[in-house]
Amino acid sequence: MDPTAAGSDNARGELPNGLASLDLTQPASAIPADEVPVTPGITKEAYESEAAEQNGDALRTDYFSRHQADHAMAPSPALNPSAFEGQPFEKQLETGVREGVDYLRRVSEAALHPSESLSDIRAICPDLSLTGNIISATFNIPHTVKYRKGADWELSPRRGQSALFDAFSYLSSDESPWNHTVVAWTGEIEEPEELSPPTTPPATTVHLAALNALSKPIPLSSQDRPITPPTSDGLWIPKEDMLRLENQLLHNNRIKTVPVWLADDADLSDEGIRLKDQARWRRYAEHELYTLFHYKQHEPTNGRAERAQWADYFRMNQKFANKILEVYKPGDIVVIHDYNLILLPGMLRQRAPHMYISFFLHSPFPSSEFLRCLPRRKEVLEGVLGANLVGFQSFSFSRHFTSCCGRVLKFPSDSSGVDAYGSRVEVGVFPIGIDAAKVAKLAYTDSVTEKYKTLKAMYAGKKIIVGRDRLDTVRGVAQKLMAFERFLELYPEWRDKVVLIQVTSPTNIEEEKDEPEDKISSRVNELVMKINGTYGSIGFSPVLHYPQYVSQDEYFALLRAADIGLITSVRDGMNTTALEYVICQRQTAGPLILSEFSGTAGTLRDAIHINPWDLTGVAMQINNALVMPQDKRQAMEQSLLAHVTAKNVQYWIAGFLRRLVTVLGSRKSLTATPLLDRSALLRQYRAAAAGGKRLFMFDYDGTLTPIVREPSAAVPSERVIASLKALAADPSNAVWIISGRDQDFLTHHLGHITQLGFSAEHGSFMRNPGETEWVNLAEKFDMGWQKEVLEVFQKYTDRVPGSFIEQKRCALTWHYRLADPEQGVHMAHECHKELETTVGRRWEVEVMAGKANLEVRPTFINKGEIAKRLVTTYNSNGAEKVEFVLCLGDDFTDEDMFRALNSLSSPPPTAAAASDSSKEATLAASAGELTTDQCFTVTVGPSTKATLARWHLLEPEDVIECVALLAGIGDS
């Protein structure tokens, strides 16, 4: 019997056993999208067993329900890459089978595997004082809510994000050691339907939609004037109904949720809330961030709409921050999910500096070339950097993020994190998984098996390729159809023997909904008609397209019936369909063809990877998958299955949280430098005024002036000059500028203040206060090394555009602040190694890495030697001893000054020692040049900065405020 005819007969027949909802016989375009039963993967049936329904158990109204094996972490170890690499195929086959044969045992034992206790987690770092509470912030609650006035709200499962909601369910279950709360927006709430007895006719039909244009009701008044329906100014929800929903969500027995109500302040009162244009709260995220993160760029506009959307987005994140702070307690962990809440980490960090915050991005993160097109790029990055740990789906996404922080914000970064605002923001890769035990149970129920058998019978003798995607531009549905058309063109022997079943669910992204219809759905329909018209017949269509949601059972039946799973997304985060396909194929081992642009490709390395833009390449891989031998397919499936079952959603969230605790523990061990005590500074300054000398030593760049891209642009402000003049005018004050700058620069900008002393080029040259001549402290040193260093610096200057050489009399500096950040750092590292192994071994010179520069100078020249020289000189000249020292700097070269002053300082004498006139007491008091309370070493930067200084100030502006304050006291 002709298999084509048999398939045709079956296809034209009536589908038994509930498959009628997915009618594979009628034209796909004839199925209305609004007749869709449910969402695949996130239905009530997905969490309720059919046995419970048959036994008459009432369905639960909450989103999740318990199963014995649900939410258990499979105890499988991580895959050993060395088990596959460098082995012949026969050996890989044995290894793959060995790693996959115990799949059923892992699933069955998953619920019995003991989870990590909270005591174990606290033991990682007891100083964290963890409460055991986790607050998960996500944009939408796990339910869609239906408002019913004066009655309980109707809750139903929300479509999408099944893996994330499964993770929430696990954290909220008894299997997790954490106490879990979700903070999320209610989502759009629709107007409630007016209920009336069945026999009561409606008072008016004005509010009812017309059946068609000809049946539209035209109500008339007694004066023959149309009745105007009352205008609706948003949805009003009374306070008691708001509290009723909050109570329902808070006491949900699966996930405790605290809802966020989003409305303008004017629309929120003690009586209730009025909801207007509810979609605006998601508009910026979906119009700007979602599109850009998926490499789609808008045409430039006047920016008015973008500014309005940004204002709503900013306020929405603020309202989330307010709600989280209402439930937060010190020691809680806050986990923030996805781009809708990308500003939230920074907002929380500002208001609760010691909060434990992590952020996980479920979508891709673009390269810097794309992110820089976003007008709010800095705000987006700064918002994320409020977190202690930032997680991504794949390494490429994390690499893009750290690169953007370096290129846009100019923050030092590497593959493991970003140094921002004086602290380290760790970056990690945490590929999300699925609840493998749950999927394994649901995919092999009797009802799914029956539908699976029906599908196989309908297409007996044919190979089935299955695709299930959202109908938007990033899922690559059009590319899939074009590749399938190319396959039929290149391999005519497969015509009439292969069918592509493509299910596309409507997109939930508003930006995609706004796309002109002919750009997405019409394009897909055109391709379907073209392929069926070219390669189909009256009895057979090679492509069956169903733009609808399918039921849970239908979805799993399709994945089980497939001979090939085909995913061609052009940009994607974590595609969980690929993971579910692997579970569903554990018996039949159908190959998985996966786009290399999907975040899943990095974890499912044994799948067949394709470039969806290479249509011929995809077509060839479809053919390779169809002819693949059974043993090779089985080896591929077993290897993939071992990974999916081991790296499940419980493994993901538990690993993410454990990594966060480890990061927090490492931060806790850091010692914070206290903020400069200005009252103590003033007291000591006044005490020294009675007859002692007061010594000031200031670095220049980053201390008196901010760091700038162009070194020549670091010009002192009028306030700096005025403050230094006033401070130096006091004869008891000795004010010195100790800088790496050369003599010409310091003379040009500050030389007119004759009372200032100068040390240039890190101590190579000195100019005493009141003098004009510079003293060369290194004139007797052989400077022959400069020629060799200059040759090396010139070589790297030629290689790195934007870099340049600064030649001083006693030092050479190579600057790369204007170069590409990544290239500059990499080449500076190479240059540093070359200098250390060549010039550094032949000459007594030191190679120092500064802020975007490398400097070579003689080893005996540094700021520390100058600091010692000044203190001892002033103490040895005259009766006035140094009784007050203020030393400020921001760079690692200034640490030499701090180290020298620390060595010159000794603890102040006790009261007993001060009253004792013995020789021993006198010697003890004079053992050091200074006492520690007389010496103020201050680094400019954050408190977490590693330094030898005893105090810190945040920025140069704070330095000038202190100088101005002391200068005013000196004048008085």
Side-chain angles (χ1 to χ4, degrees):
M1 182 177 180
D2 183 15
T4 304
S8 174
D9 292 340
N10 284 335
R12 301 304 175 195
E14 201 169 314
L15 302 184
N17 302 318
L19 259 182
S21 61
L22 181 62
D23 192 345
L24 304 179
T25 62
Q26 61 174 315
S29 58
I31 302 176
D34 57 358
E35 292 184 6
V36 174
V38 285
T39 308
I42 319 195
T43 64
K44 197 169 294 184
E45 290 81 5
Y47 305 97
E48 302 291 339
S49 65
E50 291 190 357
E53 298 178 38
Q54 293 170 0
N55 294 335
D57 294 344
L59 289 177
R60 305 168 71 96
T61 58
D62 57 350
Y63 180 70
F64 299 94
S65 63
R66 293 184 182 271
H67 286 299
Q68 182 182 4
D70 276 6
H71 319 296
M73 184 182 301
S76 308
L79 294 179
N80 181 10
S82 63
F84 289 94
E85 295 177 356
Q87 295 184 356
F89 169 71
E90 291 75 11
K91 186 64 177 177
Q92 292 185 27
L93 173 60
E94 296 177 9
T95 305
V97 172
R98 185 174 64 253
E99 298 225 13
V101 290
D102 60 346
Y103 161 74
L104 289 177
R105 178 186 58 79
R106 289 201 307 272
V107 171
S108 62
E109 293 179 356
L112 302 177
H113 184 254
S115 60
E116 191 173 35
S117 68
L118 188 58
S119 299
D120 297 333
I121 298 171
R122 284 174 173 155
I124 297 175
C125 184
D127 295 338
L128 292 178
S129 301
L130 294 175
T131 62
N133 298 329
I134 292 180
I135 302 172
S136 293
T138 186
F139 185 56
N140 289 308
I141 62 175
H143 317 274
T144 56
V145 298
K146 190 172 183 180
Y147 178 39
R148 297 187 296 187
K149 291 183 180 179
D152 283 349
W153 294 64
E154 182 180 330
L155 306 181
S156 57
R158 182 176 295 277
R159 295 168 179 165
Q161 296 182 299
S162 59
L164 177 61
F165 294 155
D166 282 343
F168 289 168
S169 181
Y170 164 69
L171 289 176
S172 303
S173 70
D174 296 335
E175 299 162 17
S176 167
W178 303 96
N179 301 315
H180 183 235
T181 303
V182 173
V183 175
W185 178 40
T186 60
E188 289 91 340
I189 300 174
E190 298 180 358
E191 292 274 359
E193 297 179 1
E194 297 291 340
L195 301 178
S196 59
T199 58
T200 305
T204 177
T205 58
V206 171
H207 65 284
L208 299 179
L211 297 178
N212 57 60
L214 299 179
S215 64
K216 183 177 181 180
I218 306 176
L220 298 175
S221 68
S222 57
Q223 289 82 21
D224 292 334
R225 297 178 62 184
I227 296 177
T228 303
T231 58
S232 176
D233 190 20
L235 172 62
W236 172 256
I237 300 179
K239 189 67 173 181
E240 54 269 24
D241 288 336
M242 294 173 62
L243 295 175
R244 183 178 288 108
L245 176 61
E246 292 176 6
N247 184 67
Q248 284 182 247
L249 295 175
L250 190 62
H251 294 90
N252 187 279
N253 58 358
R254 290 305 298 157
I255 301 179
K256 184 172 72 172
T257 305
V258 176
V260 178
W261 298 91
L262 296 180
D264 292 330
D265 293 340
D267 295 324
L268 185 62
S269 66
D270 294 337
E271 288 76 28
I273 189 172
R274 188 172 297 279
L275 305 177
K276 302 177 183 177
D277 187 17
Q278 300 176 64
R280 63 182 167 138
W281 304 112
R282 65 170 75 244
R283 201 159 286 150
Y284 182 85
E286 296 181 355
H287 278 234
E288 303 294 333
L289 298 182
Y290 175 87
T291 53
L292 192 79
F293 285 6
H294 289 83
Y295 288 76
K296 295 173 59 182
Q297 180 60 29
H298 294 301
E299 292 293 329
T301 65
N302 58 19
R304 293 176 183 173
E306 187 269 343
R307 285 192 293 272
Q309 293 169 8
W310 171 258
D312 290 333
Y313 182 74
F314 187 89
R315 284 186 296 148
M316 180 266 290
N317 277 263
Q318 279 186 324
K319 290 180 182 292
F320 266 83
N322 295 339
K323 183 60 67 175
I324 288 173
L325 290 172
E326 289 179 12
V327 301
Y328 167 78
K329 296 189 295 294
D332 291 355
I333 288 177
V334 179
V335 184
I336 302 167
H337 293 273
D338 230 4
Y339 57 88
N340 298 88
L341 304 177
I342 212 164
L343 302 181
L344 186 54
M347 291 180 174
L348 290 174
R349 181 65 62 206
Q350 290 178 350
R351 298 170 64 177
H354 302 294
M355 183 181 286
Y356 305 149
I357 305 173
S358 63
F359 177 82
F360 190 86
L361 185 67
H362 294 261
S363 72
F365 195 89
S367 69
S368 61
E369 297 303 315
F370 255 81
L371 188 77
R372 286 189 294 178
C373 299
L374 185 69
R376 306 283 179 175
R377 57 196 181 180
K378 288 187 176 181
E379 291 90 335
V380 165
L381 293 173
E382 289 168 349
V384 176
L385 291 176
N388 301 103
L389 173 66
V390 182
F392 295 91
Q393 299 277 17
S394 74
F395 177 73
S396 62
F397 302 159
S398 69
R399 179 170 52 85
H400 290 162
F401 174 75
T402 56
S403 174
C404 287
C405 291
R407 294 175 182 273
V408 177
L409 299 179
K410 310 304 178 186
F411 288 155
S413 64
D414 54 40
S415 60
S416 63
V418 181
D419 296 320
Y421 312 113
S423 63
R424 177 75 170 178
V425 179
E426 293 291 333
V427 174
V429 179
F430 307 89
I432 199 170
I434 59 173
D435 193 336
K438 183 188 72 178
V439 173
K441 183 174 184 178
L442 295 174
Y444 285 87
T445 61
D446 293 340
S447 59
V448 172
T449 301
E450 199 168 353
K451 293 177 175 61
Y452 157 76
K453 292 179 179 178
T454 302
L455 282 170
K456 297 302 284 186
M458 288 171 56
Y459 297 102
K462 291 181 169 46
K463 297 291 185 179
I464 302 175
I465 302 175
V466 168
R468 187 266 181 183
D469 308 272
R470 249 195 353 243
L471 189 58
D472 57 33
T473 54
V474 302
R475 304 299 171 178
V477 178
Q479 285 82 354
K480 182 184 301 183
L481 293 170
M482 289 188 288
F484 185 67
E485 180 184 21
R486 181 64 172 156
F487 163 74
L488 295 177
E489 176 186 351
L490 292 177
Y491 302 95
E493 66 273 17
W494 285 110
R495 297 174 189 174
D496 298 330
K497 298 179 182 177
V498 177
V499 59
L500 170 62
I501 302 177
Q502 176 63 43
V503 179
T504 52
S505 56
T507 181
N508 56 359
I509 301 297
E510 185 171 317
E511 169 68 15
E512 296 285 353
K513 295 177 183 178
D514 295 340
E515 289 277 350
E517 188 177 352
D518 60 339
K519 288 189 175 182
I520 306 175
S521 59
S522 291
R523 174 61 177 155
V524 169
N525 290 334
E526 289 172 2
L527 287 169
V528 171
M529 290 187 291
K530 179 183 177 184
I531 296 171
N532 289 338
T534 304
Y535 300 102
S537 61
I538 296 178
F540 174 73
S541 296
V543 178
L544 298 175
H545 177 223
Y546 299 93
Q548 66 176 97
Y549 295 110
V550 294
S551 71
Q552 177 74 62
D553 288 351
E554 292 166 346
Y555 172 65
F556 284 128
L558 278 172
L559 295 187
R560 285 181 56 185
D563 294 288
I564 294 176
L566 183 57
I567 297 174
T568 56
S569 51
V570 296
R571 189 67 56 181
D572 203 358
M574 187 57 64
N575 193 308
T576 56
T577 299
L579 306 178
E580 291 163 343
Y581 177 82
V582 171
I583 297 291
C584 292
Q585 288 291 318
R586 63 184 175 91
Q587 293 180 347
T588 51
L592 172 63
I593 301 178
L594 182 61
S595 168
E596 65 187 50
F597 297 109
S598 170
T600 324
T603 57
L604 300 183
R605 299 188 180 277
D606 290 310
I608 301 174
H609 292 183
I610 50 96
N611 177 2
W613 302 101
D614 180 9
L615 303 183
T616 300
V618 178
M620 293 173 63
Q621 292 297 353
I622 293 175
N623 179 69
N624 292 339
L626 289 172
V627 299
M628 183 181 294
Q630 176 65 24
D631 57 349
K632 189 173 181 180
R633 289 194 290 113
Q634 195 68 32
M636 178 188 297
E637 169 63 20
Q638 294 298 339
S639 177
L640 293 174
L641 191 62
H643 174 86
V644 174
T645 54
K647 302 300 179 66
N648 54 20
V649 72
Q650 293 85 1
Y651 177 94
W652 167 71
I653 192 62
F656 185 58
L657 292 172
R658 186 177 180 86
R659 175 61 178 156
L660 173 63
V661 173
T662 303
V663 168
L664 294 172
S666 64
R667 295 292 172 269
K668 206 71 174 179
S669 62
L670 297 177
T671 303
T673 305
L675 191 67
L676 177 61
D677 186 346
R678 300 191 187 190
S679 61
L681 184 73
L682 288 173
R683 283 196 304 270
Q684 192 61 42
Y685 185 88
R686 287 170 176 164
K693 196 72 176 178
R694 295 177 295 211
L695 177 60
F696 297 85
M697 290 176 278
F698 299 112
D699 176 39
Y700 185 79
D701 292 286
T703 303
L704 295 177
T705 62
I707 297 292
V708 293
R709 285 177 58 83
E710 193 71 52
S712 60
V715 179
S717 65
E718 293 182 3
R719 190 182 182 198
V720 170
I721 294 174
S723 299
L724 290 176
K725 278 184 178 180
L727 194 66
D730 190 324
S732 297
N733 296 342
V735 184
W736 283 77
I737 308 299
I738 303 178
S739 172
R741 295 281 190 169
D742 60 22
Q743 309 97 289
D744 294 337
F745 182 92
L746 295 177
T747 302
H748 176 71
H749 291 291
L750 295 174
H752 61 283
I753 308 177
T754 57
Q755 299 93 334
L756 289 181
F758 296 97
S759 172
E761 298 190 26
H762 301 289
S764 299
F765 297 88
M766 291 184 67
R767 197 186 90 172
N768 291 307
E771 299 180 3
T772 57
E773 296 297 324
W774 288 85
V775 178
N776 186 355
L777 302 181
E779 61 182 346
K780 296 181 180 180
F781 186 74
D782 186 358
M783 294 294 173
W785 55 271
Q786 287 191 333
K787 181 180 179 182
E788 295 183 38
V789 173
L790 191 61
E791 292 176 355
V792 175
F793 277 169
Q794 188 60 53
K795 178 175 68 174
Y796 284 90
T797 302
D798 295 338
R799 293 180 181 179
V800 182
S803 64
F804 61 93
I805 302 171
E806 182 184 5
Q807 189 165 5
K808 307 171 185 177
R809 296 186 184 181
C810 294
L812 287 173
T813 307
W814 182 61
H815 295 273
Y816 57 89
R817 184 171 288 121
L818 301 179
D820 179 272
E822 294 183 4
Q823 184 189 24
V825 171
H826 174 71
M827 298 306 289
H829 181 67
E830 296 295 320
C831 182
H832 193 286
K833 287 196 301 183
E834 182 173 343
L835 290 171
E836 288 279 12
T837 56
T838 55
V839 181
R841 293 181 178 178
R842 291 193 294 267
W843 299 86
E844 292 185 14
V845 295
E846 183 179 12
V847 184
M848 301 183 303
K851 292 183 177 178
N853 67 67
L854 277 180
E855 182 164 291
V856 182
R857 68 184 184 191
T859 53
F860 69 89
I861 295 177
N862 61 69
K863 292 183 179 181
E865 294 298 323
I866 295 298
K868 285 183 182 179
R869 183 188 186 107
L870 292 176
V871 173
T872 55
T873 299
Y874 282 111
N875 273 342
S876 61
N877 292 339
E880 289 186 345
K881 298 293 184 182
V882 177
E883 297 182 2
F884 175 88
V885 174
L886 176 60
C887 179
L888 294 108
D890 75 304
D891 205 347
F892 78 99
T893 59
D894 302 309
E895 296 296 320
D896 293 331
M897 290 195 292
F898 304 149
R899 182 182 295 103
L901 292 173
N902 290 340
S903 67
L904 294 175
S905 303
S906 60
T910 63
S915 61
D916 190 349
S917 59
S918 66
K919 182 178 180 181
E920 289 79 7
T922 304
L923 290 174
S926 60
E929 299 284 349
L930 300 163
T931 60
T932 53
D933 60 348
Q934 294 174 336
C935 184
F936 292 84
T937 52
V938 185
T939 186
V940 181
S943 63
T944 54
K945 178 181 179 181
T947 181
L948 295 173
R950 295 176 55 212
W951 308 93
H952 89 101
L953 289 171
L954 285 174
E955 54 188 0
E957 188 66 27
D958 298 323
V959 174
I960 305 309
E961 288 181 2
C962 286
V963 173
L965 183 63
L966 297 180
I969 295 173
D971 289 341
S972 63

